[in-house]
Amino acid sequence: MQLQGERIVVKPVELSDAEALLKLEKENRDFFQRFTGKRDEHFFTKEGQLERIRKAMDDRETDQGYLYVIVLRNIGKIIGEVMLTEPVRGNLQSCWIGYFLDKSFNGQGYMTEAVRLVVRHAFEELRFHRIEAGVMPHNLGSMKVLLKAGFHKEGIARKNVNINGRWEDHQTLAILNEADEEKPSGIERYNPPVIAPPLGPYTHVTKVPQGAELLVFSGQVGTDAEGKLPDDMKQQVEHTLANIQRLLEAESLTADHIVKINIWAVEEVDWSHFHEVWAKFHGGRPPAMTMAYVPALAMPTLKVEIEVWAAAG
């Protein structure tokens, strides 16, 4: 994976970058030290850099952090680093960004370009919602980089980082993933007065806006997060709807984007239970739905399967 900029390429660090990183760190040792915690002598050896890179690669695989190098496109020289640290998933979906640039390339827009590339990657591919940064108030160059990249100031974190034996204040800045802002689906659902109201929690007519992108989610079944299929019909219904919810979220969609939902079951549905979990799923705006009993599904252990059609745009 490489992030292509106008003058630079930003890519995940690799073991083959050890020599170039060591050179960058040694040539900028005093300059970088002004903005970071103390580093021991081992850090400034090739083995120290290899250990650092191996840890960064392990962290990348486990979603514990991401280290990138900034490479000049014309000559392939590594001139800096960008890192995403302390990722938190769940309800936060956030991380911190930090960076270092060779002092001889400061003030030329390289870091602003690199930060923009990494932020876009973090939002679009890594699915972060919020990225934070901390900058010592006197570091005006770094502050300018973040502001140009779209970050905004949020306040001062007093004496929160120990740098060179002194607890330093930091200006906190952050940027949010605008794609996460909930947008109306544009889909209209209604029940015309020319026929009787629906017999259950579904809608007679669904109108999709012109130019919307159609997404079809293949029939989903009730496996849990580990791929195991429970015997109980109620659990299969709950897991199936939860799996559909995850698929929708992966495409930045909600149940409000659903055009049609088709349900097939091989045994009688507990309608009281179904209506309860169905209401939680659609949040009060039930989509068009077809429910059918069939003699069998693809596997004897499957008791329910649900197919979803959705529209975005």
Side-chain angles (χ1 to χ4, degrees):
M1 182 278 293
Q2 291 190 345
L3 309 177
Q4 301 287 339
E6 291 184 10
R7 300 177 296 164
I8 59 171
V9 172
V10 178
K11 68 180 188 69
V13 70
E14 301 171 353
L15 290 174
S16 58
D17 297 322
E19 288 282 5
L21 274 186
L22 178 60
K23 186 173 185 293
L24 176 71
E25 292 288 351
K26 291 178 74 172
E27 290 181 352
N28 291 273
R29 181 169 182 170
D30 292 339
F31 178 59
F32 289 170
Q33 190 63 65
R34 292 160 52 191
F35 309 106
T36 190
K38 289 186 177 180
R39 293 163 166 172
D40 60 24
E41 290 301 321
H42 183 64
F43 181 87
F44 297 98
T45 65
K46 184 176 180 180
E47 185 56 38
Q49 290 302 307
L50 285 169
E51 289 176 8
R52 177 192 182 201
I53 294 171
R54 290 190 191 102
K55 183 179 186 309
M57 294 172 71
D58 288 342
D59 286 347
R60 184 168 70 230
E61 289 298 315
T62 56
D63 192 34
Q64 296 301 304
Y66 299 86
L67 175 60
Y68 305 92
V69 291
I70 306 167
V71 184
L72 281 179
R73 292 189 64 156
N74 56 350
I75 58 174
K77 175 185 174 68
I78 291 179
I79 62 170
E81 312 161 26
V82 183
M83 57 283 297
L84 298 175
T85 61
E86 301 178 54
V88 181
R89 295 299 187 176
N91 293 329
L92 292 180
Q93 299 295 333
S94 68
C95 67
W96 288 80
I97 191 170
Y99 43 81
F100 295 100
L101 185 69
D102 188 321
K103 60 180 179 296
S104 62
F105 290 90
N106 271 216
Q108 300 174 52
Y110 288 108
M111 188 52 76
T112 299
E113 187 177 351
V115 169
R116 284 173 174 160
L117 289 170
V118 172
V119 166
R120 186 173 66 191
H121 174 70
F123 285 160
E124 294 180 358
E125 302 299 328
L126 302 180
R127 298 291 186 177
F128 284 110
H129 166 68
R130 174 183 170 89
I131 303 174
E132 298 182 54
V135 180
M136 286 187 284
H138 62 77
N139 190 354
L140 300 181
S142 184
M143 201 93 66
K144 183 182 291 186
V145 164
L146 292 165
L147 293 173
K148 283 185 175 180
F151 284 70
H152 59 273
K153 294 181 180 180
E154 292 196 333
I156 298 292
R158 296 188 64 252
K159 301 187 183 304
N160 70 319
V161 181
N162 192 310
I163 295 179
N164 300 317
R166 177 177 175 177
W167 290 98
E168 297 282 358
D169 294 349
H170 278 70
Q171 170 72 57
T172 300
L173 300 96
I175 187 171
L176 304 179
N177 189 350
E178 294 182 359
D180 289 339
E181 298 301 316
E182 190 169 322
K183 300 175 183 177
S185 67
I187 294 174
E188 295 181 49
R189 298 180 183 142
Y190 56 93
N191 298 308
V194 295
I195 59 174
L199 294 175
Y202 60 89
T203 302
H204 279 316
V205 178
T206 301
K207 185 182 291 186
V208 179
Q210 185 175 2
E213 181 182 20
L214 182 66
L215 294 90
V216 179
F217 299 92
S218 61
Q220 296 300 304
V221 296
T223 51
D224 63 16
E226 297 178 352
K228 297 178 181 177
L229 186 71
D231 294 329
D232 182 66
M233 173 68 161
K234 292 181 181 179
Q235 284 186 291
Q236 286 198 24
V237 169
E238 292 176 6
H239 289 336
T240 304
L241 291 176
N243 289 336
I244 292 170
Q245 187 67 50
R246 293 188 188 98
L247 285 174
L248 291 170
E249 290 175 354
E251 297 294 332
S252 300
L253 303 178
T254 69
D256 201 42
H257 291 84
I258 293 176
V259 176
K260 179 70 189 299
I261 203 162
N262 298 311
I263 304 175
W264 300 279
V266 299
E267 66 179 50
E268 188 174 355
V269 173
D270 182 330
W271 287 107
S272 177
H273 171 261
F274 179 83
H275 287 160
E276 180 181 345
V277 295
W278 178 236
K280 290 180 181 177
F281 175 79
H282 63 65
R285 295 193 69 227
M289 176 180 70
T290 295
M291 167 72 202
Y293 288 110
V294 295
L297 291 168
M299 297 170 56
T301 51
L302 294 178
K303 298 183 177 181
V304 64
E305 185 169 340
I306 302 178
E307 175 189 76
V308 173
W309 292 55

